[in-house]
């Protein structure tokens, strides 16, 4: 089949890389793209959040399947336009994409589906925020209700900082969701969904803060690793039973079936698994680590989901190796990242055993690769265990040259040392959602 992938980032580069290894995929094209994607497939300049423009391109290319990577085209209704034109799409409709487009909507769906999540209050004024902060106590969690590319959340013990973030969201015309803080290690789980059924992928853990030891502001993600040796037995089955399938059933019951990837951001608390957030697409940079281990052909899996034909009895197959992904970011990321710097040493990085480089914010100019975004590259290392994967990936990162770049040095370090232990459950898990 011929596949068109929509999106310009590291997630899309990783998806394309996997699709090209699928024996059932004969041709891949990219709408958007970056310097790394352009080295693999033909790229096409198009407004990726324009439903008509993307549909026209898919028709011109005679695409059998369109894979939509980022959240913005999904919320803009690109999948709806493609389906109306009779083209198979891996990605939810505009209505289903509200699971990410509105945190308030997601909370409503979780409440209706009896899915365990954090208590929350929706706020539109500073007074409402202050009341919610007092009610839940510190640490404070304040989330922009709309899309924020992974950077719209503040977790802080400083009440003034929490109020300031909420006010910035109000000034931009939005609202916020104030939540109770969920204590416990976080897990990302992708579920491939066909509107009625779902198949889980391997759990991963990402690192949102910009600096080592989880210091500094939230980013779109500075690294990830998989598998998670510390996750309790039966964890994935529990998430599928208590979170994913109820949400899939609820969305289908509303007449807005969910097709694509449901990203579940989860916390393992003393009261059990709780949902932190949903995304409606592959997470970045977890995708780079997860897909590096996937052995099941990705294109066939996506087409089955797009057609509503997932076989939930067929288990996905995975490499026994561990994968660690480290983001190389530009100076001043996540605020106002520096752009236009030459990026070199990529061949040397990929010459390291078990290492490959995924491009995110890069572009080609006069034969040179230049930085063009905040997260510029993700270096991925594979090894027989986390410690060796870490050693390889940081050997690869050390070969990359970009002026004033930054990266975390502690991705997967605690897991490799066996220092992560989920809290002991204290009793039955209550369902906690939005307050009345």
């Amino acid at each position: 089949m011929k596949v068109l992938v929509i999106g310009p980032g590291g997630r899309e580069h990783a998806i394309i890389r996997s699709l090209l290894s699928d024996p059932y995929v004969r041709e891949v094209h990219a709408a958007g793209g970056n310097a790394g994607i352009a080295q693999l497939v033909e790229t096409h300049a198009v407004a990726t959040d324009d439903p008509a423009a993307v549909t026209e391109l898919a028709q011109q290319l005679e695409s059998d399947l369109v894979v939509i990577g980022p959240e913005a085209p999904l919320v803009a209704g690109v999948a709806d336009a493609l389906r109306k034109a009779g083209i198979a799409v891996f990605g939810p409709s505009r209505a289903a994409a509200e699971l990410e487009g509105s945190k308030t909507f997601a909370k409503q769906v979780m409440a209706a589906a009896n899915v365990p999540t954090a208590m929350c209050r929706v706020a539109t004024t500073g007074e409402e925020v202050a009341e919610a902060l007092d009610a839940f106590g510190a640490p404070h969690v304040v989330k922009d209700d709309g899309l924020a590319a992974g950077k719209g959340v503040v977790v802080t013990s400083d009440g003034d900082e929490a109020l300031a973030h909420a006010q910035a969201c109000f000034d931009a015309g939005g609202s916020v969701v104030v939540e109770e803080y969920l204590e416990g290690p976080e897990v990302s789980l992708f579920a491939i969904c066909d509107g009625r059924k779902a198949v889980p992928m391997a759990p991963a853990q990402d690192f949102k803060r910009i600096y080592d030891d989880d210091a500094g502001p939230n980013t779109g993600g500075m690294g990830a690793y998989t598998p998670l040796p510390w996750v309790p037995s039966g964890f994935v089955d529990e998430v599928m039973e208590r979170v994913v399938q109820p949400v899939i059933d609820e969305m289908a019951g509303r007449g807005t079936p969910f097709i694509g990837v449901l990203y579940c951001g989860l916390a393992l608390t003393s009261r059990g698994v709780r949902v932190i957030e949903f995304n409606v697409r592959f997470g970045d940079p977890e995708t780079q680590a997860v897909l590096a281990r996937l052995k099941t052909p990705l294109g066939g899996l996506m087409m089955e989901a797009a057609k509503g034909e997932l076989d939930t009895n067929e288990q996905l197959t995975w490499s026994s190796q561990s994968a660690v992904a480290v983001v190389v970011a530009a100076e001043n990321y996540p605020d106002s990242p520096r752009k236009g710097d030459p990026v070199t040493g990529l061949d040397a990085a990929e010459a390291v055993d078990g290492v490959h480089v995924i491009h995110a914010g890069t572009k080609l100019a006069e034969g040179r690769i230049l930085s063009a975004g905040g997260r510029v590259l993700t270096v991925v290392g594979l090894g027989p265990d986390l410690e060796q994967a870490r050693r390889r990936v940081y050997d690869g990162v050390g070969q990359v040259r970009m002026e004033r770049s930054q990266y975390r040095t502690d991705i997967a370090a605690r897991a490799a040392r066996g220092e992560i232990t989920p809290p002991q459950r204290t009793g039955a898990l209550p369902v906690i959602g939005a307050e009345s």
Side-chain angles (χ1 to χ4, degrees):
M1 60 181 164
K2 182 186 289 188
V3 184
L4 172 63
V5 177
I6 309 298
R11 165 186 45 231
E12 290 76 36
H13 189 183
I15 289 170
I16 288 168
R17 189 174 180 272
S18 290
L19 288 172
L20 290 172
S21 68
D22 185 334
Y24 303 107
V25 174
R26 62 181 174 86
E27 192 174 333
V28 179
H29 290 255
N34 56 43
I37 292 174
Q39 292 173 346
L40 297 178
V41 301
E42 184 177 354
T43 62
H44 304 267
V46 67
T48 56
D49 58 354
D50 183 333
V54 173
T55 301
E56 182 180 358
L57 174 61
Q59 290 172 326
Q60 289 175 354
L61 294 173
E62 297 181 340
S63 303
D64 300 299
L65 174 68
V66 177
V67 177
I68 303 176
E71 59 273 30
L74 294 167
V75 173
V78 171
D80 304 76
L82 289 161
R83 289 194 178 98
K84 186 175 181 181
I87 300 170
V89 186
F90 185 79
S93 65
R94 175 187 292 176
E98 278 297 285
L99 280 172
E100 181 172 358
S102 169
K103 293 175 180 62
T104 300
F105 175 78
K107 289 289 188 180
Q108 292 169 349
V109 169
M110 283 187 273
N114 219 31
V115 170
T117 186
M119 290 188 296
C120 75
R121 292 185 183 181
V122 179
T124 57
T125 67
E127 291 77 11
E128 291 174 346
V129 172
E131 290 177 4
L133 296 178
D134 288 342
F136 294 137
H140 307 297
V141 181
V142 182
K143 299 180 177 181
D144 188 339
D145 188 41
L147 296 180
K151 299 188 285 289
V153 180
V154 163
V155 181
T156 179
S157 295
D158 185 334
D160 290 339
E161 182 183 359
L163 285 167
H165 177 68
Q167 190 59 52
C169 296
F170 299 152
D171 292 344
S175 58
V176 299
V177 174
V178 182
E179 293 185 351
E180 66 165 333
Y181 177 73
L182 297 177
E183 185 76 42
E186 296 184 11
V187 178
S188 300
L189 182 70
F190 302 148
I192 307 296
C193 309
D194 72 357
R196 297 178 298 111
K197 306 181 297 298
V199 174
M201 302 191 85
Q205 186 177 58
D206 79 332
F207 296 73
K208 289 295 186 188
R209 301 281 189 168
I210 185 70
Y211 302 127
D212 284 6
D213 300 319
D214 294 325
N218 271 350
T219 72
M222 292 299 293
Y225 69 96
T226 182
L228 310 184
W230 48 268
V231 162
S233 175
F235 167 78
V236 172
D237 290 340
E238 180 182 0
V239 174
M240 295 302 291
E241 179 183 348
R242 301 207 59 178
V243 176
V244 175
Q245 195 60 53
V247 169
I248 297 301
D249 293 342
E250 175 66 22
M251 295 299 288
R254 292 172 178 238
T256 55
F258 189 93
I259 299 169
V261 175
L262 181 64
Y263 167 112
C264 303
L266 308 159
L268 275 64
T269 77
S270 60
R271 291 176 287 178
V273 176
R274 299 287 187 89
V275 175
I276 299 171
E277 65 174 348
F278 289 131
N279 291 335
V280 297
R281 36 72 189 182
F282 281 110
D284 189 344
E286 297 99 319
T287 301
Q288 289 89 306
V290 170
L291 292 187
R293 296 183 56 239
L294 180 66
K295 298 178 73 174
T296 300
L298 181 62
L301 184 64
M302 288 176 160
M303 181 62 89
E304 288 176 5
K307 290 184 174 181
E309 299 174 354
L310 274 179
D311 183 358
T312 55
N313 293 317
E314 181 180 349
Q315 298 293 314
L316 303 186
T317 56
W318 300 92
S319 165
S320 61
Q321 292 189 302
S322 295
V324 178
V326 177
V327 170
V328 179
E331 183 185 30
N332 292 330
Y333 177 73
D335 296 323
S336 301
R338 171 183 170 128
K339 300 178 183 179
D341 288 314
V343 183
T344 61
L346 303 185
D347 290 341
E350 294 203 320
V352 176
D353 185 34
V355 170
H356 63 270
V357 177
I358 298 294
H359 289 241
T362 64
K363 67 177 181 180
L364 283 171
E366 298 180 354
R368 297 191 304 167
I369 295 175
L370 303 179
S371 63
R375 290 182 295 176
V376 179
L377 304 167
T378 303
V379 182
V380 181
L382 287 164
D385 54 39
L386 283 176
E387 184 54 47
Q388 293 193 58
R390 270 179 45 81
R391 187 178 304 117
R392 290 174 178 179
V393 76
Y394 281 109
D395 283 348
V397 169
Q399 302 298 321
V400 176
R401 296 290 178 267
M402 183 179 75
E403 190 171 353
R404 299 181 186 177
S405 62
Q406 56 179 325
Y407 59 88
R408 285 183 61 157
T409 66
D410 63 345
I411 305 301
R414 292 186 62 227
R417 294 193 297 264
E419 295 178 357
I420 302 179
T421 303
Q424 194 75 23
R425 292 199 183 189
T426 56
L429 173 65
V431 174
I432 300 179
E435 289 191 335
S436 59

